[in-house]
């Protein structure tokens, strides 16, 4: 039995391929309701090493909620209510950059939002004042450094940079859309990076993305994208994602709340 640290719990939002977290010593599971409705799944409490964590499955468990229908506000608010102040968003993505092929891990540093129609802010409705958060750097530099150090320590194939292009989904992109993303400077494409990162910032939570490339983006390979290819990349790369999480947990738990 692990011994809990005095740090607040770290939130882990698992995406495709990470609906549960092996190595997590379970201490409880609870359904949570929020002012924004119910989150995607029950919150699973546990210990990873001696660091308390709260795990949430972004698409539900089993995987059933498409990216554009995820209740991102409820998910982030539920984690906040549980005392979480640092969140790791695990994302399955398509690789645009030449170095970012299947099973490659990426810790991106920037994001471009191409989504539309999603409930994307807590600051709406009957407000006393309008709030504009600074979002110059969407990912916590301190949290990124911890993930990068863990990936290096494990000798994993990874990139310590990347612009994440967040698209609407649930369909995959056309080859022309991927070319546009590339012209815009995107290295990765995914469907769940936003508004998750911005909502975390509104709650003054540290947020970091740990992305696993599961396929070459449309038009970046000589074949169409198949679920078999995606599943194979998840099987190959997810163990590295788990190792990064395990190694970095203590440091992530020690981070203070986002200052801006």
């Amino acid at each position: 039995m692990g011994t809990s640290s005095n740090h607040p719990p770290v939130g882990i939002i698992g995406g495709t391929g990470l609906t549960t977290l092996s190595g997590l010593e379970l201490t409880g599971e609870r359904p949570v309701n929020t002012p924004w409705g119910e989150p995607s799944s029950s919150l699973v409490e546990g210990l990873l090493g001696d660091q308390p964590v709260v795990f949430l499955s972004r698409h539900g468990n089993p995987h059933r909620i498409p990216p554009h229908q995820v209740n991102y506000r409820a998910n982030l608010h539920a984690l906040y209510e549980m005392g979480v102040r640092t969140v790791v968003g695990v994302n399955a993505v398509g690789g645009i950059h030449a170095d970012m092929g299947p099973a490659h891990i990426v810790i991106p540093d920037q994001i471009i939002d191409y989504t539309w129609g999603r409930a994307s802010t807590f600051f709406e409705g009957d407000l006393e004042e309008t709030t504009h958060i600074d979002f110059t750097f969407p990912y916590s530099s301190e949290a990124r450094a911890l993930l990068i150090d863990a990936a290096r320590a494990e000798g994993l194939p990874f990139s310590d940079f990347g612009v994440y292009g967040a698209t609407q989904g649930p369909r995959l992109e056309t080859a022309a859309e991927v070319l546009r993303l590339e012209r815009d400077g995107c290295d990765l494409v995914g469907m769940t990076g936003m508004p998750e990162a911005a909502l975390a910032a509104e709650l003054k939570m540290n947020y970091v993305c740990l992305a696993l490339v599961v396929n070459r983006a449309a038009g970046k390979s000589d074949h169409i994208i198949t679920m078999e290819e995606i599943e194979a990349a998840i099987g190959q790369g997810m163990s590295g994602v788990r190792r990064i999480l395990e190694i970095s947990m203590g440091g992530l738990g020690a981070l203070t709340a986002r200052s801006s």
Side-chain angles (χ1 to χ4, degrees), residues 6 27 32 40 49 57-58 104 106 109 131 151-152 183 209 225:
N6 293 321
T27 59
V32 177
S40 298
S57 182
R58 186 186 289 115
H104 192 74
V106 184
D109 56 350
T131 303
R152 286 182 179 146
R183 289 194 299 269
C209 172
I225 299 165

Side-chain angles (χ1 to χ4, degrees), residues 126-161:
D126 187 16
L127 301 176
E128 294 183 2
E129 61 179 342
T130 301
T131 303
H132 303 281
I133 61 165
D134 180 84
F135 203 51
T136 306
F137 302 105
Y139 303 120
S140 162
S141 59
E142 294 88 352
R144 289 188 67 253
L146 289 165
L147 298 188
I148 289 166
D149 288 347
R152 286 182 179 146
E154 285 295 290
L156 296 168
F158 84 104
S159 295
D160 61 359
F161 70 94

Side-chain angles (χ1 to χ4, degrees), residues 12 15 18-19 27 31 35 50 72-73 82 84 101 104 118 123 127 135 144 184 199 215 217 228 256 259-260:
I12 302 172
L18 193 67
T19 55
T27 59
D50 65 351
Y72 295 95
R73 290 192 295 190
M82 295 286 288
V84 169
H104 192 74
R118 301 183 181 190
F123 299 129
L127 301 176
F135 203 51
R144 289 188 67 253
D184 285 353
L199 292 167
N215 57 270
E228 290 78 12
T256 58
S259 60
S260 59

Side-chain angles (χ1 to χ4, degrees), residues 92-97 100 173 187-190 212-218:
V93 299
I96 298 174
H97 191 286
M100 298 178 185
E173 299 72 34
D187 301 298
L188 307 166
V189 57
L212 176 66
V213 179
V214 297
N215 57 270
R216 292 278 185 189

Side-chain angles (χ1 to χ4, degrees), residues 4-211:
S4 175
S5 75
N6 293 321
H7 298 152
V10 173
I12 302 172
I13 302 178
T16 302
L18 193 67
T19 55
T20 59
L21 189 62
S22 61
L24 183 66
E25 182 184 320
L26 297 179
T27 59
E29 181 173 354
R30 68 175 82 177
V32 177
N33 206 351
T34 77
W36 311 97
E38 293 185 3
S40 298
S41 68
S42 297
L43 301 184
V44 176
E45 300 173 88
L47 295 172
L48 205 53
D50 65 351
Q51 172 58 45
V53 301
V54 179
F55 181 83
L56 186 151
S57 182
R58 186 186 289 115
H59 298 283
N61 189 14
H63 187 293
R64 58 184 174 80
I65 306 171
H68 67 297
Q69 291 187 323
V70 170
N71 191 339
Y72 295 95
R73 290 192 295 190
N75 287 352
L76 271 298
H77 204 277
L79 290 172
Y80 187 84
E81 289 177 0
M82 295 286 288
V84 169
R85 295 299 178 266
T86 297
V87 177
V88 182
V90 179
N91 299 86
V93 299
I96 298 174
H97 191 286
D99 293 341
M100 298 178 185
H104 192 74
I105 292 170
V106 184
I107 303 162
D109 56 350
Q110 278 293 336
I111 195 164
I112 300 176
D113 188 7
Y114 299 93
T115 67
W116 48 269
R118 301 183 181 190
S120 59
T121 180
F122 294 110
F123 299 129
E124 62 182 16
D126 187 16
L127 301 176
E128 294 183 2
E129 61 179 342
T130 301
T131 303
H132 303 281
I133 61 165
D134 180 84
F135 203 51
T136 306
F137 302 105
Y139 303 120
S140 162
S141 59
E142 294 88 352
R144 289 188 67 253
L146 289 165
L147 298 188
I148 289 166
D149 288 347
R152 286 182 179 146
E154 285 295 290
L156 296 168
F158 84 104
S159 295
D160 61 359
F161 70 94
V163 178
Y164 180 127
T167 59
Q168 180 70 358
R171 67 167 177 84
L172 298 174
E173 299 72 34
T174 68
E177 287 170 333
V178 169
L179 286 175
R180 182 191 67 160
L181 291 168
E182 188 172 34
R183 289 194 299 269
D184 285 353
C186 295
D187 301 298
L188 307 166
V189 57
M191 301 174 189
T192 55
M194 287 291 285
E196 196 170 274
L199 292 167
E202 288 187 349
L203 292 171
K204 298 188 180 300
M205 301 165 87
N206 298 297
Y207 183 88
V208 66
C209 172
L210 180 55

